[in-house]
Amino acid sequence: MPAAKKTAATKPADRAEIEAPEEPTAEAGESLTAVAHEATDIYTWVEHNGKKYSIPAAMEFPLEVILAENEIEALAIILGEEQWETYRKTRPTIRDFQEFSEKVNRASGN
């Protein structure tokens, strides 16, 4: 069995410094699945209540996500300050938060 190809680790940028990437596109008949998203270490988009949110692949989440004490804190870290504030301004309900959190988890490959 051939040895696994090693890749150089990259230092993650500060979420505040990352500009939202262009929305991923797919060829006709193709879709960007969570598995493909995870394998390519790119951002994907989640649409919720008429707003689009840029979501990184799970392995690109900030380390602080592991230390989050609850799901709300974890999602705030994943989204980053600007997107979290955008979401909060929608005045979400608990049900809405659960739906949004599920979308983010599916999109990130979790």
Side-chain angles (χ1 to χ4, degrees), residues 48-66:
H48 187 72
N49 291 340
K51 307 248 185 239
K52 287 188 177 182
Y53 301 89
S54 173
I55 309 298
M59 294 303 289
E60 298 302 319
F61 286 174
L63 185 61
E64 290 80 17
V65 167
I66 295 172

Side-chain angles (χ1 to χ4, degrees), residues 25-31:
T25 58
E27 299 293 323
E30 295 180 344
S31 64

Side-chain angles (χ1 to χ4, degrees), residues 57-106:
M59 294 303 289
E60 298 302 319
F61 286 174
L63 185 61
E64 290 80 17
V65 167
I66 295 172
L67 304 174
E69 294 184 16
N70 57 60
E71 194 172 347
I72 294 172
E73 188 178 316
L75 186 58
I77 293 167
I78 292 166
L79 292 176
E81 289 180 32
E82 187 175 318
Q83 291 190 118
W84 179 246
E85 286 305 313
T86 298
Y87 176 68
R88 292 280 313 271
K89 287 178 184 177
T90 68
R91 300 186 48 82
T93 62
I94 293 170
R95 181 185 320 276
D96 182 76
F97 174 80
Q98 288 175 330
E99 291 171 3
F100 183 47
S101 181
E102 287 171 9
K103 287 180 183 180
V104 169
N105 282 328
R106 280 192 305 268

